[in-house]
Amino acid sequence: MQIDVFTLFPDAFAWFERQRHVANALAGGHRLEYVNYRDHTPLGAGQVDDTPFGGGAGMVLRVDVVEAALWARYGRDPVQLRQDRRVIVLAPGGTLLDDALVGELAREEALTLLSGRYEGFDQRIVDHFASDEVSIGRYVLAGGELAAMVLCDAVLRKLPGALGHPDSALEESFSDALAGAPEYPHYTRPAEWRGWRVPDVLLSGHHARIREWRLAQSAARGTGSADGPLP
Ligand code: ADE
């Protein structure tokens, strides 16, 4: 998979790339590349944003700047680009990212992520260049970089070879294997600490009973969805 992140702060991703599963994915041939809007702005002095028409606080990322960056990267009109490539604007009001959307994105060959700063994007960027507008939660971050990292983290760990153990991504919270429910609780040594005992069934060595217990625990934690709190 090729992921292109458009950002004003490519350096922000240095730490992210060092994370084990990201490094594994990159070593396995997947690619994460960055385009700095500022490198492609047609305006003077590296300008990328402007004050909002109608007044109000903050600055808005300009449509001409984003268009120039997309043109420079792909050599074609960004209006056409979204027909055969997911071009995802990261914004607090977008579709909430959940495991199903992550799985869908992980099946793409290429993704383009547009992260913004300031007050947000000129709406024409969303309307004419983007295939999706995605939010990582109903709160406002100072910029889309963390949101882009969250999305990349969740997508990359679904790719074969990213995790140390291939089964890790199969039976985890919100997966089909658990019918969309959160994962069951885990315990490790010591088997007892301050009187807090690990459930006997997990020490029994009885695999069928352990499995049954885990599925029941997972189901009991509920099938909370992105639309509402866990019960
Ligand atoms: N940019 C700022 N806040 C965001 C959020 N909650 N999700 C995605 N992108 C954002």
Side-chain angles (χ1 to χ4, degrees):
M1 168 180 278
Q2 164 88 36
I3 306 180
D4 295 341
V5 183
F6 285 63
T7 172
L8 288 166
F9 302 98
D11 294 349
F13 292 81
W15 167 85
F16 178 66
E17 287 202 6
R18 290 197 299 273
Q19 302 316 295
R20 176 63 62 85
H21 71 290
V22 179
N24 284 348
L26 298 182
H30 300 291
R31 287 195 305 277
L32 193 50
E33 289 174 351
Y34 309 96
V35 177
N36 190 336
Y37 300 113
R38 224 179 277 288
D39 293 342
H40 303 285
T41 178
L43 310 170
Q47 186 188 349
V48 293
D49 59 340
D50 225 318
T51 52
F53 282 126
M59 300 291 274
V60 177
L61 196 57
R62 288 177 55 132
V63 62
D64 49 352
V65 170
V66 174
E67 175 169 314
L70 287 164
W71 256 110
R73 177 71 176 173
Y74 302 109
R76 56 193 287 219
D77 188 343
V79 171
Q80 258 103 53
L81 185 68
R82 67 174 177 181
Q83 284 160 15
D84 45 41
R85 186 180 176 107
R86 299 289 278 264
V87 180
I88 301 169
V89 162
L90 293 155
T95 306
L96 280 175
L97 187 67
D98 62 9
D99 189 66
L101 181 53
V102 169
E104 185 185 313
L105 296 177
R107 289 189 290 276
E108 297 285 337
E109 272 181 16
L111 298 175
T112 296
L113 306 183
L114 303 182
S115 47
R117 283 262 143 180
Y118 319 111
E119 206 47 43
F121 295 86
D122 185 301
Q123 185 58 34
R124 291 167 291 187
I125 297 167
V126 180
D127 292 346
H128 301 290
F129 301 156
S131 60
D132 306 79
E133 190 180 9
V134 170
S135 168
I136 64 159
R138 294 290 184 244
Y139 42 80
V140 181
L141 300 167
E145 283 72 24
L146 285 173
M149 283 183 235
V150 167
L151 189 151
C152 289
D153 185 299
V155 166
L156 291 175
R157 67 189 296 287
K158 294 239 187 229
L159 302 179
L163 298 183
H165 197 297
D167 289 349
S168 304
L170 283 183
E171 196 169 280
E172 62 179 5
S173 291
F174 319 120
S175 61
D176 288 346
L178 297 178
E183 203 176 4
Y184 42 79
H186 295 283
Y187 298 88
T188 186
R189 291 179 190 82
E192 182 170 344
W193 181 252
R194 294 180 59 183
W196 305 322
R197 281 194 45 78
V198 170
D200 285 338
V201 62
L202 296 178
L203 308 174
S204 69
H206 195 300
H207 295 299
R209 281 221 302 273
I210 292 173
R211 171 124 200 92
E212 199 182 321
W213 180 87
R214 285 180 164 166
L215 292 180
Q217 289 285 317
S218 170
R221 286 181 159 187
T223 53
S225 74
D227 303 329
L230 296 176

